[in-house]
């Protein structure tokens, strides 16, 4: 039995007495050790750098440049969080009695406060006079992040990969580059903040966010059977 399995079982026993707090307290440390902090930190640094460059290149940034920088930072965050579900010990801890949705939710809870602080810093790096509406651009960032997490959860459920992050990040990056070229302009997805269709576009972003959340919730369940894909790593 691995240390993680022992701690998880202890957490379940404690959970019988102390409820959810019991197993959460037991799992925080082992789960925290498997979170790819280096990838999250690198992605966060890239996002901050994109916004900082747009602000301190010498010229006053335009609203369009500010929006592009914020969208780039959101994409960087999504690329980093695509690795959140990476777990090299996945196959050795498959017998842990704590269900997968709870383990994935705990991973998300560990990084959520840091991600919120990071995104707040990203927003405040953009001068207020050129900053797009915070609610709209935050909705876009949330949709990108949840799309990355939903895709990673789907890969975990349908394959034996221990590190889905690299493949998901690659697919997300390709989609981000290609989609503005092929998404019909009538869909009004990638619009400027002064565009009359700004509110309409964010109705679509809200749908994308809700759909990604639903896919993640469905994919987080334990598989009925294994063996869809045997490729690991």
């Amino acid at each position: 039995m691995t240390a993680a399995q022992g701690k998880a079982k202890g957490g379940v026993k404690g959970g019988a007495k102390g409820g959810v707090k019991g197993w959460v307290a037991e799992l925080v440390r082992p789960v925290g050790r498997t979170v790819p902090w280096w990838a999250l930190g690198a992605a966060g640094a890239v996002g901050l750098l994109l916004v900082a460059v747009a602000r301190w290149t010498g010229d006053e940034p335009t609203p369009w440049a500010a929006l592009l920088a914020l969208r780039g930072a959101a994409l960087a965050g999504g690329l980093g969080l695509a690795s959140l579900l990476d777990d090299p010990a996945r196959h050795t801890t498959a017998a842990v009695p704590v269900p997968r949705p709870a383990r994935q939710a705990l991973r998300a809870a560990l990084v959520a406060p840091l991600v919120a602080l990071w995104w707040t810093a990203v927003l405040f790096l953009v001068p207020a006079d050129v900053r797009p509406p915070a609610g709209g651009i935050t909705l876009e960032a949330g949709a990108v992040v949840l799309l990355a997490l939903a895709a990673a959860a789907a890969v975990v459920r349908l394959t034996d990969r221990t590190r889905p992050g690299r493949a998901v990040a690659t697919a997300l990056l390709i989609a981000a580059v290609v989609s503005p070229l092929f998404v019909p302009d009538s869909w009004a997805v990638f619009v400027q903040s002064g565009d009359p269709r700004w509110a309409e576009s964010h109705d679509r972003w809200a749908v994308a966010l809700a759909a990604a959340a639903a896919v993640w919730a469905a994919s987080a369940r334990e598989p009925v059977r294994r063996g869809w894909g045997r490729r690991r790593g």
Side-chain angles (χ1 to χ4, degrees):
M1 180 186 298
T2 65
Q5 286 174 308
K7 290 192 176 187
K9 288 184 178 180
V12 172
K13 291 178 182 178
K17 297 179 180 179
V20 174
K21 290 183 179 179
W23 65 259
V24 167
E26 292 292 336
L27 279 181
V28 164
R29 184 172 295 178
V31 169
R33 284 199 296 264
T34 65
V35 172
W37 297 108
W38 64 271
L40 301 182
V46 170
L48 289 170
L49 183 61
L50 287 172
V51 178
V53 167
R55 176 168 183 170
W56 288 305
T57 51
D59 298 326
E60 185 69 20
T62 63
W64 179 235
L67 180 59
L68 283 179
L70 286 171
R71 283 175 172 164
L75 177 60
L79 294 177
L81 286 165
S83 300
L84 181 63
L85 304 185
D86 286 6
D87 184 4
R90 170 187 174 188
H91 300 294
T92 62
T93 59
V96 170
V98 178
R100 179 183 292 167
R103 300 197 305 272
Q104 291 190 0
L106 181 56
R107 281 174 175 261
L110 287 174
V111 304
L114 297 176
V115 172
L117 288 173
W118 168 77
W119 183 247
T120 300
V122 167
L123 287 177
F124 278 98
L125 276 173
V126 178
D129 57 335
V130 295
R131 185 188 307 143
I137 192 63
T138 300
L139 176 61
E140 292 184 24
V144 170
V145 165
L146 280 178
L147 284 169
L149 292 173
V155 172
V156 169
R157 177 173 170 80
L158 300 177
T159 76
D160 283 340
R161 284 181 179 267
T162 58
R163 293 184 174 92
R166 184 180 301 176
V168 171
T170 300
L172 181 63
L173 182 59
I174 293 173
V177 172
V178 172
S179 57
L181 303 177
F182 292 97
V183 172
D185 187 61
S186 59
W187 286 19
V189 176
F190 304 102
V191 300
Q192 301 185 40
S193 55
D195 193 304
R197 301 171 299 170
W198 177 262
E200 177 187 348
S201 74
H202 287 86
D203 290 340
R204 293 185 171 88
W205 281 107
V207 171
L209 185 149
V215 170
W216 185 13
S219 300
R221 297 177 302 163
E222 299 288 352
V224 175
R225 60 182 180 179
R226 292 186 172 273
W228 281 61
R230 291 299 174 187
R231 184 177 176 180
R232 299 184 182 182

